[in-house]
Amino acid sequence: MRAALSTLEVARPRDLAHALKLLHASLDAGRLVPLAGGTDLFVTLNSGLVPGRRFLDLWSLRELRGVRDQAGRLVLGALTTFSEIREHALVRRRYPALAAAAAEIGAWQVQNRGTLGGNIANASPAGDSLPVLLALEAVVHARSVRGTREVPFTALFRGYRDLALEPDELITAVSLPDPDAPPPLRAGAARRGAHPPRAQQFFRQVGTRRAQSISKVALAGLLRLGRDGRVDLARVALGSVAPVTLRAGRAERVLLGARPSAAVAAAARAALLEDIAPIDDIRSDREYRRRVSGNLLEQFLRVADPRFARR
Ligand SMILES: Cc1cc2nc3c(=O)[nH]c(=O)nc-3n(C[C@H](O)[C@H](O)[C@H](O)COP(=O)(O)OP(=O)(O)OC[C@H]3O[C@@H](n4cnc5c(N)ncnc54)[C@H](O)[C@@H]3O)c2cc1C
């Protein structure tokens, strides 16, 4: 049954410090539920599955906004919307997989209102930004009245919809390393030769239809080829194929050192099936998800290496 709006309370904090105080103080008397764009929370209101009656409206907190380059890391405030991500010049240039995922999330209305922090905190295995953030080795910045912490994306999801965050912590930002930054030089060493080749990025989600559908499978990846044509960096992350978004470590190990080809793709697909654990649910079934995961991996390799078809 729908939750009547008149029975709900919304607290509007003055600033982040005030929001954190209110959230902390609420823990004993029914936790305030953080409210960002509301695109997930309003669905729960409509279905009667609302997680609380008292909300903490984050929308006006300037501390959670903005996208900035900080010494080569891109820092995106938790309230950055998918429209902002999709249109941001530096994101499009340096993190095309994230821009691609942002452009696939819902329709424009949802992209204008839905936030990166909300997608992460909602912790759905079908959240489309999550495989990209995992492949890009993002770090989540969390803050409470006790201070700030950085949680690597790899350590964020403990289990199905179970985040490694305290109930009085807010996500304030997400930061991303530059995937094409050259490795740091040893003291006194001079950099020699040309800049190493860029890693190719990939994102694709498969749903019931091409647009505006929740993912049955999503795959994000980074692949870099060395000058000898062999893979020297491989990251593959998938959503909707396990209780949490995951990195496909076995498939990545098959790819490392290989020259992508049909035979390598077949071996990587076989390894991928050991990495994932899809289930049957209302959106799809296990067998379909296994097959599509392999197809997406092969598509990623074909796109990332133009010599794939000639080997
Ligand atoms: C029609 C429709 C289509 C959609 N399509 C897609 C899609 O294709 N792909 C996809 O991934 N998602 C989709 N979504 C889901 C949703 O839009 C995204 O998950 C969005 O990113 C949620 O962000 P929000 O700001 O609206 O979160 P909210 O609804 O405000 O909050 C979501 C959860 O996160 C918590 N939260 C929010 N911000 C913070 C914070 N800073 N710190 C701690 N906790 C926080 C809230 O308490 C709540 O539990 C769709 C939703 C709708 C309604």
Side-chain angles (χ1 to χ4, degrees):
M1 202 176 62
R2 284 182 186 195
L5 287 178
S6 56
T7 64
L8 307 176
E9 271 177 52
V10 179
R12 296 226 154 79
R14 287 185 300 277
D15 54 24
L16 178 58
H18 187 209
L20 294 172
K21 250 187 225 163
L22 290 174
L23 184 57
H24 181 74
S26 74
L27 294 189
D28 295 333
R31 176 181 179 261
L32 282 166
V33 180
L35 170 67
T39 59
D40 276 313
L41 284 173
F42 270 78
V43 174
T44 62
L45 276 178
N46 214 28
S47 59
L49 298 170
V50 55
R53 302 250 144 219
R54 303 170 62 230
F55 294 85
L56 181 65
D57 186 358
L58 309 179
W59 199 250
S60 62
L61 300 180
R62 282 187 299 126
E63 298 93 327
L64 306 193
R65 291 207 174 272
V67 179
R68 58 189 185 281
D69 193 7
Q70 202 169 286
R73 286 186 80 85
L74 193 74
V75 182
L76 301 113
L79 288 177
T80 307
T81 65
F82 292 112
S83 297
E84 288 166 331
I85 292 173
R86 196 187 68 206
E87 287 161 13
H88 197 279
L90 184 56
V91 175
R92 292 165 71 106
R93 194 167 67 243
R94 201 191 281 168
Y95 309 97
L98 183 59
E104 297 258 331
I105 289 179
W108 284 5
Q109 294 88 336
V110 169
Q111 291 170 17
N112 283 340
R113 189 76 196 176
T115 65
L116 191 60
N119 205 227
I120 297 167
N122 191 51
S124 162
D128 282 316
S129 74
L130 309 187
V132 184
L133 296 174
L134 193 58
L136 290 172
E137 301 198 328
V139 171
V140 167
H141 301 240
R143 190 139 158 203
S144 70
V145 287
R146 294 174 300 287
T148 306
R149 268 180 340 120
E150 294 187 0
V151 186
F153 220 75
T154 42
L156 190 65
F157 298 102
R158 294 185 293 214
Y160 178 68
R161 295 208 141 173
D162 180 15
L163 280 177
L165 292 181
E166 298 299 326
D168 65 346
E169 279 181 320
L170 289 175
I171 297 172
T172 53
V174 178
S175 64
L176 301 171
D178 179 350
D180 297 309
L185 283 178
R186 273 178 287 114
R191 193 167 302 287
R192 290 201 186 86
H195 198 282
R198 291 192 65 181
Q200 293 295 315
Q201 297 184 24
F202 179 87
F203 171 80
R204 177 142 185 226
Q205 63 112 299
V206 172
T208 309
R209 53 185 185 183
R210 186 71 191 87
Q212 294 189 47
S213 59
I214 298 176
S215 297
K216 294 170 184 237
V217 179
L219 185 145
L222 252 75
L223 196 90
R224 192 178 60 214
L225 300 168
R227 298 193 195 289
D228 58 0
R230 294 185 187 278
V231 174
D232 69 7
L233 180 127
R235 295 191 207 142
V236 179
L238 292 105
S240 294
V241 294
V244 294
T245 308
L246 53 78
R247 280 275 290 271
R250 290 181 180 84
E252 290 177 359
R253 283 193 288 281
V254 169
L255 296 175
L256 270 177
R259 291 193 175 100
S261 64
V264 169
R269 285 175 81 125
L272 181 71
L273 295 181
E274 302 288 311
D275 285 316
I276 61 178
I279 54 166
D280 297 341
D281 65 14
I282 49 162
R283 283 200 297 280
S284 190
D285 63 50
R286 176 176 177 273
E287 213 31 63
Y288 180 83
R289 287 180 156 124
R290 281 163 59 89
R291 183 174 295 212
V292 170
S293 300
N295 291 350
L296 291 182
L297 179 62
E298 183 162 338
Q299 187 187 12
F300 167 39
L301 297 178
R302 284 179 185 275
V303 170
D305 186 353
R307 283 164 291 186
F308 181 104
R310 280 183 261 133
R311 290 197 180 105

